Amino acid sequence: MVSMTVQSLLIIAALLILFDIYSHVQQRERKTEIAKALAEDASRAKTSFLSNMSHEIRTPMNAIIGLDSIALRNPDLQPQPRDQLEKIGSSARHLLSLINDILDMSRIESGRMVLKHEEFSFCDFLEQINIIINGQCIDKGLQYECNVIGPVRDFYIGDDMKLKQVLINILGNSVKFTDVRGRVSLTVEATEENGENCSLCFRMQDTGIGMDPEYIPKLFEAFSQENASATNRYGRSGLGMAITNNLVNMMNGTIRVESEKGVGSLFVVTVVLGKSERVHPVGEPETQADTENHLAGCRVLMAEDVEQNAEILADLLEIEGVEAERAENGEVAVRMFSKKEKGYYDAILMDVRMPVMNGLTATGEIRKLDRDDARTIPIIAMTANVFEEDVESSLQAGMNAHLSKPIEPDRLYSVLAELIGKKG
């Protein structure tokens, strides 16, 4: 009897211990879940805050860059005010690049940065990089050259915008840190093909100020800087190379760096892209959009609730001979479009964030109208919302393109010319 009682007590004690352990495990799991939820809430709050702040900052930046662009197009402008306006524009774009870096880093940290998987022309991709970097080199008195070693494909599959960002970040730094009469070069080579994927190697070299080898491991850390004087002289956010490294990792790639003080730096980036069997038609002439021929005499419906932005946009359009009619919000835009005869407007420039009716809803309402041109008229989003999901929302709503604010005039003209030309 005593033996049974002791045995029962031991079983009860064991059960109590197991229950106590189970309770502790449950409490720990609950604490982990709460901590995870709090971290996710904090991440969402930070992303939302940065998104809203980006939108609020981009709105006045749109006016600064827009007015600066208009003023610089004055042929009678004297050298001194032209130089001052160019410096204003340069400073504004530098501020914009800092905002973009902060947003990109925030999205990478929160895991919301995603890569597209789309076919792109490698020739066009490389040409866009060369135009940007060669222009920067000419402005600074540097020599730039781009070489392609061996055969490369006409088309690849991947995120050309993010890859372009990687190369321009590195080459842009080469331009910044290389003095007059120096050299910057880009060499491209297809290194490996395996199944559906292939590897491309980009070698970027300069004769700039270089770095101490000991600093190279820290180069890709956020906010890292070798010395404050170089940062003050050349201007850096401290995020560009951290973003570059993360993007390359997302592309299953690698970055190798070699550098020597006073001699220069070499960056070797290898990324994995998807194969595409598409080729450029043999003998097809390359054409460029003639914005003047396409746009002169066109009429555009402009949905913009901020009067100052509307005035700047109308002035930019007038430069290219485009007539603009303004709607104060999406509801007015729908009403104005529906009351005009078919084909009256050649395109619609649609702000996204507007009172009464936003641009996404207005686009949907226009697309539903029972008339042919409602389905075919180009509708272009113009917004300070710059995340990938913002672009996707615009396209899903029925828009044809997405332009982020501040609006770059040449980009605006190019997109309008392309879409109006296709419509015609």
Side-chain angles (χ1 to χ4, degrees):
M1 185 71 179
V2 173
S3 175
M4 288 294 293
T5 303
V6 171
Q7 188 176 16
S8 298
L9 289 172
L10 289 173
I11 291 171
I12 292 170
L15 290 173
L16 289 172
I17 291 170
L18 288 173
F19 180 76
D20 186 56
I21 293 172
Y22 178 72
S23 297
H24 276 85
V25 170
Q26 274 196 322
Q27 288 177 11
R28 190 179 304 156
E29 289 178 349
R30 180 60 180 160
K31 287 179 180 178
T32 301
E33 289 175 0
I34 292 172
K36 183 180 177 182
L38 289 172
E40 290 174 349
D41 286 344
S43 178
R44 279 192 294 269
K46 183 176 77 170
T47 301
S48 176
F49 169 77
L50 289 172
S51 177
N52 289 333
M53 285 304 298
S54 168
H55 186 278
E56 295 304 316
I57 292 171
R58 284 171 184 274
T59 299
M61 287 287 289
N62 186 61
I64 294 169
I65 292 178
L67 289 169
D68 184 72
S69 297
I70 292 169
L72 283 170
R73 289 173 184 266
N74 180 0
D76 299 324
L77 196 63
Q78 296 300 309
Q80 184 176 3
R82 179 174 294 278
D83 179 63
Q84 292 167 342
L85 286 168
E86 286 173 349
K87 288 176 180 175
I88 290 172
S90 176
S91 297
R93 287 176 177 82
H94 178 62
L95 175 58
L96 192 61
S97 71
L98 297 181
I99 296 168
N100 291 336
D101 281 352
I102 292 169
L103 289 174
D104 280 347
M105 202 65 206
S106 171
R107 291 176 65 73
I108 289 170
E109 289 178 345
S110 64
R112 297 180 65 195
M113 178 72 79
V114 294
L115 296 181
K116 294 184 295 183
H117 194 68
E118 298 175 350
E119 187 179 62
F120 65 93
S121 165
F122 189 70
C123 177
D124 292 346
F125 163 83
L126 205 56
E127 182 182 16
Q128 290 165 13
I129 292 172
N130 288 337
I131 288 172
I132 292 170
I133 301 302
N134 189 51
Q136 292 179 2
C137 286
I138 290 173
D139 290 342
K140 197 172 179 182
L142 307 178
Q143 179 185 344
Y144 174 71
E145 62 179 24
C146 175
N147 299 299
V148 179
I149 300 176
V152 294
R153 290 178 176 267
D154 288 353
F155 289 83
Y156 289 96
I157 298 172
D159 194 325
D160 61 322
M161 292 298 293
K162 295 294 190 300
L163 181 55
K164 194 185 306 176
Q165 182 178 352
V166 166
L167 302 185
I168 290 176
N169 271 350
I170 296 173
L171 290 168
N173 275 347
S174 290
V175 175
K176 280 183 186 178
F177 295 107
T178 301
D179 291 330
V180 177
R181 292 186 294 279
R183 297 189 308 277
V184 177
S185 67
L186 167 62
T187 303
V188 185
E189 182 178 10
T191 56
E192 184 181 355
E193 292 198 3
N194 183 15
E196 296 181 352
N197 296 322
C198 48
S199 297
L200 281 181
C201 178
F202 301 88
R203 293 172 57 89
M204 290 155 281
Q205 195 160 12
D206 63 63
T207 58
I209 62 174
M211 296 173 282
D212 285 325
E214 292 80 8
Y215 174 69
I216 292 175
K218 302 177 183 177
L219 178 63
F220 300 110
E221 297 175 2
F223 306 111
S224 69
Q225 58 183 49
E226 189 173 9
N227 61 72
S229 61
T231 300
N232 293 335
R233 178 182 174 189
Y234 297 103
R236 297 176 61 196
S237 69
L239 292 174
M241 295 311 296
I243 293 168
T244 296
N245 188 46
N246 276 282
L247 291 176
V248 171
N249 288 336
M250 290 176 70
M251 296 177 193
N252 298 315
T254 59
I255 300 182
R256 178 169 60 85
V257 184
E258 298 176 10
S259 189
E260 184 179 345
K261 272 286 190 184
V263 176
S265 300
L266 168 67
F267 286 77
V268 181
V269 173
T270 303
V271 296
V272 178
L273 298 172
K275 290 181 184 176
S276 171
E277 302 302 328
R278 183 181 172 192
V279 296
H280 288 295
V282 177
E284 182 178 272
E286 295 185 7
T287 60
Q288 293 182 340
D290 184 341
T291 61
E292 185 176 354
N293 289 343
H294 276 301
L295 297 181
C298 291
R299 186 184 292 111
V300 168
L301 174 59
M302 176 179 61
E304 172 62 69
D305 62 307
V306 179
E307 185 174 357
Q308 186 180 51
N309 285 344
E311 291 174 356
I312 293 169
L313 182 57
D315 288 343
L316 288 171
L317 292 170
E318 186 180 359
I319 290 171
E320 293 295 317
V322 179
E323 179 186 348
E325 296 183 4
R326 181 194 174 201
E328 294 81 10
N329 56 61
E331 186 178 90
V332 175
V334 175
R335 186 164 63 246
M336 288 176 64
F337 179 83
S338 61
K339 286 184 177 181
K340 298 296 184 181
E341 65 272 15
K342 177 183 173 181
Y344 180 81
Y345 293 113
D346 295 288
I348 300 175
L349 297 173
M350 185 77 75
D351 189 22
V352 173
R353 287 195 186 186
M354 291 184 290
V356 185
M357 181 185 288
N358 65 44
L360 301 179
T361 304
T363 298
E365 292 298 313
I366 289 172
R367 294 299 189 205
K368 289 190 295 185
L369 293 173
D370 187 20
R371 45 190 282 182
D372 292 341
D373 63 337
R375 291 182 289 276
T376 59
I377 187 169
I379 303 180
I380 303 166
M382 295 191 313
T383 175
N385 299 338
V386 294
F387 289 154
E388 284 89 348
E389 55 263 35
D390 298 319
V391 178
E392 189 63 29
S393 296
S394 298
L395 299 178
Q396 287 178 355
M399 298 187 187
N400 302 87
H402 184 285
L403 295 178
S404 60
K405 293 179 180 177
I407 299 295
E408 289 288 349
D410 290 340
R411 175 66 176 154
L412 169 65
Y413 303 146
S414 174
V415 170
L416 273 174
E418 180 184 357
L419 292 177
I420 292 175
K422 285 181 180 179
K423 187 193 72 165

